[in-house]
Amino acid sequence: MDHEHYNKERSASLDLLLRFQRLLVSKLYPGDCVGQVPNTYSPDLLGVGSLLKKYTALLCTHIGDILPVATSIASATHRHFAEVSRVVDGDLTGILLPELVVSVVLLLSKNAGLMQEAGAIPLLAGLLEHLDRFNHLAPGKERDDNEDLAWPGIMGSFFTGQSCRNNEEVTLIRKADLENHNKDGGFWTVIDGKVYDIKDFQTQSLTGSSIL
């Protein structure tokens, strides 16, 4: 907080909401009460959990109203998408939501029972479809998806880049191929989408196979 400078473009009410959100999370974060009996929570803690659910519901309702409109405008051109993204980034969607999602995941890992009792997670899950539709309008989305789906082996963009010289034939190695080869005693590894055979290096290395 000491290093966070107040953004003049952020409204006072939005800054207050962010502080209120952080206060809720800090009250739910397990501190001195780690040793309490499992599945038993104090009324105060349950009250904070209920308050978090109401807060999340209001936030998700607002974002659920904003994102369809943003998606409709952003679908016109890439310039529209860039401008809408800038507006959304300065709204509740870009300021409150990312930190809330990370905080809920953290609280879930620390005290899953309490978070399930609070019931805020299903409300956030309801935003996934709206967020997915908006993100699908991002320039370069198809390229990023193809690169994610192409692991391991050669990425789709590799064939159109300068790395493919003279139209040389490139062998595509599937994940199953790599796993079967390694089960048979081989040692293939993937670095930046390319498959390398480091079997010979394995015998010379002093670090051991686990590190390799």
Side-chain angles (χ1 to χ4, degrees), residues 24 28 43-57 114 117-120:
L24 288 176
L28 290 171
D44 291 343
L45 206 57
L46 292 175
V48 176
S50 177
L51 198 57
L52 177 65
K53 181 180 180 180
K54 293 180 180 178
Y55 168 81
T56 304
L114 178 60
E117 189 80 21

Side-chain angles (χ1 to χ4, degrees), residues 22-202:
R22 290 173 175 174
L23 179 63
L24 288 176
V25 173
S26 67
K27 292 294 184 181
L28 290 171
Y29 191 82
D32 299 332
C33 58
V34 175
Q36 72 178 38
V37 180
N39 300 324
T40 59
Y41 309 105
S42 66
D44 291 343
L45 206 57
L46 292 175
V48 176
S50 177
L51 198 57
L52 177 65
K53 181 180 180 180
K54 293 180 180 178
Y55 168 81
T56 304
L58 291 172
L59 181 63
C60 290
T61 299
H62 171 81
I63 296 176
D65 292 338
I66 290 294
L67 280 180
V69 179
T71 302
S72 176
I73 299 174
S75 61
T77 64
H78 290 335
R79 181 175 295 180
H80 282 77
F81 178 83
E83 186 63 24
V84 170
S85 297
R86 186 187 64 81
V87 175
V88 170
D89 191 50
D91 185 60
L92 303 182
T93 311
I95 295 177
L96 299 180
L97 182 61
E99 187 171 312
L100 178 62
V101 170
V102 173
S103 299
V104 167
V105 172
L106 176 64
L107 291 172
L108 185 63
S109 67
K110 294 292 184 180
N111 199 333
L114 178 60
M115 292 307 297
Q116 291 175 357
E117 189 80 21
I121 298 175
L123 298 173
L124 290 172
L127 294 177
L128 291 177
E129 186 176 350
H130 295 301
L131 291 168
D132 195 48
R133 288 177 181 174
F134 183 79
N135 289 332
H136 267 69
L137 299 175
K141 183 270 303 180
E142 293 183 359
R143 182 192 68 245
D144 294 339
D145 283 352
N146 288 335
E147 291 182 353
D148 290 340
L149 293 173
W151 190 96
I154 308 299
M155 296 181 181
S157 60
F158 177 82
F159 293 99
T160 58
Q162 297 180 353
S163 300
C164 189
R165 295 183 296 271
N166 301 325
N167 295 324
E168 60 184 3
E169 185 176 349
V170 180
T171 302
L172 181 64
I173 298 176
R174 299 172 302 168
K175 183 177 181 180
D177 297 332
L178 182 141
E179 292 175 347
N180 290 333
H181 178 82
N182 289 347
K183 286 180 181 178
D184 294 337
F187 209 146
W188 285 355
T189 188
V190 181
I191 303 174
D192 293 334
K194 300 177 183 178
V195 179
Y196 294 88
D197 188 350
I198 58 173
K199 179 67 176 179
D200 294 338
F201 182 75
Q202 179 188 12

